[in-house]
Amino acid sequence: MLVIISDMHLGDGTTASSISPSAFHLFSNRLRETAYYASFRRDGSYRPIDSLDLLLMGDILDPLHSTLWLDTAPNTANYTRPWTDTGSPNFAQILSETTKAILDVNRESLEILQQCANGEIILLPPANARGEPDPYSKEHISVRVRIHYMVGNHDWYYHVPGNAFDEIRNVISKSMGLCNDFGPFPYDLDEQPALREILASYRVFARHGDYYDKFNFNREKGRDHATLGDVFTMDVCNRYPVEVQKRYGDRLPSGIIDCLRRITNIRPALAAPLWISGQIKRHAGSAALETELKAIWDNLCDEFIQLDVVREEDKAFKFDIVDAMELLLKISKRTSFETVNDIVLWVRDRLHENERSLVGHALHEPAFLDNSARFIVYGHTHHHEIVALDSDGEPSLEQDQFYFNSGSWRSYYNLAVKDPSEQKFVRYQTLTYLTFYKDGERAGQLFETWSGAYI
């Protein structure tokens, strides 16, 4: 039995909040139930499984959404950001501090994973002589969960080699009960042959999905380097509430800073300006203050475009992603938040952001083309999907191929569709996981998925 989850984005609490521990309690209960039913085999007998594999497929811990990186100032000797030299002692030190803060804030949640790994959560009744569950037995089968960690675009730091990073990974492994080999957490399955073989036994191919996102992955530099997505998240989204508080302090209405920190939980992401202006109006009720806070946003965007790391990505004689962002930010600067809201709504309606899919890339994966994998699994987009890719036309379904997106575990503030211009958002939590079976488990089923939302 193989379970895949991704995109938890567990943070240190300095920006958006992580999903609550209740999600992990819910997951552990469902994992126990799933393991029980997986023990019923194709021939009708009950044979308890003794272990299962849980793949954490990227963006699990989220050091990027932390303001601890902002404690060092530009043009100083100790200036450190996700895009500065990973070989600097300051880089590993800040990553270590941020990681420990994440582990501490999410201790209750991660202890549940550790208990799963220790065989304390999933306890199954043994089989009796007739191959049935024995509900009267005082003994139980302890099912150990082997937890594997792959990185994505928000936790790529744990892929960087080096002794200082090994120490950080060791802390993570102990806190979460991981079974990863010593050394960098893998980004590609080829970097971890043992994990690749486990997935291959289920005919599953998996990657985070950022590989196909130019804003969040640079194929020329590889996964040990930051991207424009990192820069924008850190120096605009993370920094905005910090700068607002720094400049206005106690003069701000109560609660507005906490609301601004939730920018990263807004869906669709293009609705961030709607959220900002809506919170300012709700808490401040002042057009003058809205204008001043809009000016802070504009200045941060200007500084972002002028950063060396951003200008280096600007390709001469080619309209690229930097040019597109520069154009968008210039339009934003010359308008009020209210006008930006109108632009956002117009763009959202035409781009259908919530329907964005990576399924087209699955059709070109070598594992799909050579039929070595029946199931292509990506994460990254936070949009859970099941898409039929191909079939041999036979009713046995033995060769049907599917694409899955593993969704996310997040708290979201989703823009209400009744009248988006009213800037109303609804909060809820989402939780998705995928399960794959082999050797006649689950009475011969091959996979199942579970995706839920709750308040």
Side-chain angles (χ1 to χ4, degrees):
M1 176 175 152
L2 168 68
V3 178
I4 299 179
I5 58 181
S6 73
D7 297 276
M8 287 184 175
H9 291 277
L10 301 179
D12 64 1
T14 59
T15 58
S17 59
S18 305
I19 195 167
S20 66
S22 63
F24 288 80
H25 288 288
L26 175 62
F27 174 67
S28 66
N29 289 334
R30 294 193 65 89
L31 195 62
R32 183 187 303 111
E33 178 182 293
T34 304
Y36 173 74
Y37 286 109
S39 300
F40 288 90
R41 309 304 172 125
R42 191 194 306 268
D43 61 8
S45 65
Y46 171 79
R47 299 196 303 277
I49 63 173
D50 57 8
S51 64
L52 64 91
D53 291 283
L54 171 60
L55 173 58
L56 307 178
M57 200 179 61
D59 288 2
I60 305 303
L61 307 186
D62 193 343
L64 179 60
H65 279 136
S66 171
T67 61
L68 293 180
W69 296 90
L70 301 175
D71 290 345
T72 59
N75 302 316
T76 59
N78 65 342
Y79 173 66
T80 307
R81 294 290 189 274
W83 51 91
T84 56
D85 182 13
T86 58
S88 165
N90 290 333
F91 192 101
Q93 179 180 345
I94 292 180
L95 179 61
S96 177
E97 293 172 359
T98 304
T99 301
K100 289 177 181 177
I102 294 172
L103 297 176
D104 184 59
V105 168
N106 297 280
R107 180 174 299 162
E108 180 182 347
S109 299
L110 297 179
E111 282 179 351
I112 296 173
L113 293 183
Q114 190 177 62
Q115 290 168 0
C116 287
N118 292 338
E120 301 170 28
I121 295 290
I122 304 177
L123 301 173
L124 303 180
N128 60 23
R130 296 185 299 275
E132 301 169 341
D134 184 354
Y136 304 108
S137 174
K138 295 182 180 180
E139 297 182 359
H140 286 84
I141 306 297
S142 175
V143 179
R144 300 184 65 86
V145 180
R146 295 185 293 263
I147 305 177
H148 313 266
Y149 195 129
M150 293 180 70
V151 301
N153 57 297
H154 276 247
D155 50 8
W156 63 265
Y157 318 88
Y158 307 129
H159 183 263
V160 178
N163 292 334
F165 296 93
D166 286 340
E167 293 178 8
I168 297 171
R169 285 185 284 264
N170 187 46
V171 172
I172 296 172
S173 294
K174 289 181 178 179
S175 298
M176 300 178 66
L178 304 181
C179 69
N180 285 56
D181 294 339
F182 185 80
F185 293 169
Y187 174 65
D188 188 279
L189 287 177
D190 287 338
E191 299 170 348
Q192 197 74 270
L195 177 60
R196 182 186 60 202
E197 291 179 9
I198 291 171
L199 268 63
S201 69
Y202 293 87
R203 297 189 66 188
V204 169
F205 173 84
R207 68 163 84 243
H208 182 67
D210 58 317
Y211 183 79
Y212 300 108
D213 180 354
K214 293 181 180 179
F215 192 58
N216 289 296
F217 181 70
N218 187 320
R219 294 195 190 183
E220 295 178 3
K221 294 182 177 180
R223 191 58 284 177
D224 289 344
H225 295 271
T227 62
L228 288 176
D230 298 320
V231 185
F232 186 77
T233 297
M234 183 62 62
D235 260 31
V236 179
C237 297
N238 288 359
R239 189 180 163 199
Y240 181 63
V242 174
E243 290 298 321
V244 169
Q245 186 171 38
K246 184 186 301 182
R247 300 185 195 190
Y248 287 88
D250 297 335
R251 289 181 291 164
L252 287 171
S254 175
I256 193 170
I257 294 297
D258 284 339
C259 290
L260 295 180
R261 289 191 181 115
R262 298 171 189 162
I263 293 175
T264 57
N265 281 354
I266 302 307
R267 283 298 178 272
L270 283 172
L274 283 170
W275 172 265
I276 294 171
S277 60
Q279 298 309 308
I280 291 172
K281 289 176 180 176
R282 181 168 300 164
H283 291 273
S286 167
L289 180 57
E290 182 178 352
T291 300
E292 292 179 39
L293 297 186
K294 174 64 164 57
I296 296 177
W297 178 269
D298 293 338
N299 289 337
L300 292 183
C301 291
D302 275 344
E303 292 177 14
F304 163 76
I305 288 295
Q306 297 306 319
L307 285 170
D308 289 342
V309 66
V310 176
R311 302 317 312 172
E312 289 170 2
E313 294 294 321
D314 195 8
K315 305 295 190 298
F317 309 110
K318 181 180 180 181
F319 187 80
D320 59 11
I321 194 168
V322 174
D323 297 316
M325 292 192 68
E326 190 169 13
L327 177 60
L328 179 62
L329 294 175
K330 283 182 178 178
I331 294 173
S332 172
K333 184 177 181 180
R334 294 173 183 173
T335 62
S336 66
F337 264 134
E338 199 68 49
T339 304
V340 173
N341 294 343
D342 295 336
I343 295 172
V344 166
L345 293 174
W346 182 86
V347 171
R348 190 200 66 169
D349 289 341
R350 283 151 183 79
L351 290 183
H352 304 290
E353 181 182 346
N354 285 338
E355 297 176 11
R356 184 170 59 121
S357 176
L358 298 175
V359 65
H361 298 289
L363 293 170
H364 302 286
E365 291 285 1
F368 167 76
L369 295 173
D370 65 14
N371 204 32
S372 59
R374 293 191 58 189
F375 311 113
I376 308 296
V377 181
Y378 299 156
H380 185 57
T381 67
H382 297 195
H383 179 53
H384 173 50
E385 292 181 277
I386 308 172
V387 181
L389 296 179
D390 197 13
S391 172
D392 63 358
E394 296 296 327
S396 66
L397 305 179
E398 288 301 319
Q399 296 302 321
D400 290 352
Q401 291 175 285
F402 295 84
Y403 162 75
F404 298 91
N405 189 284
S406 49
S408 68
W409 290 31
R410 291 297 303 272
S411 292
Y412 286 122
Y413 290 83
N414 211 308
L415 181 64
V417 300
K418 176 185 175 184
D419 187 354
S421 65
E422 293 183 352
Q423 303 161 327
K424 295 180 179 178
F425 291 78
V426 179
R427 181 182 181 272
Y428 60 89
Q429 301 188 88
T430 64
L431 188 157
T432 299
Y433 65 90
L434 315 176
T435 307
F436 300 91
Y437 303 103
K438 65 176 183 177
D439 301 333
E441 295 172 337
R442 195 63 159 99
Q445 284 186 205
L446 295 177
F447 70 84
E448 61 184 354
T449 73
W450 188 89
S451 184
Y454 63 99
I455 298 176

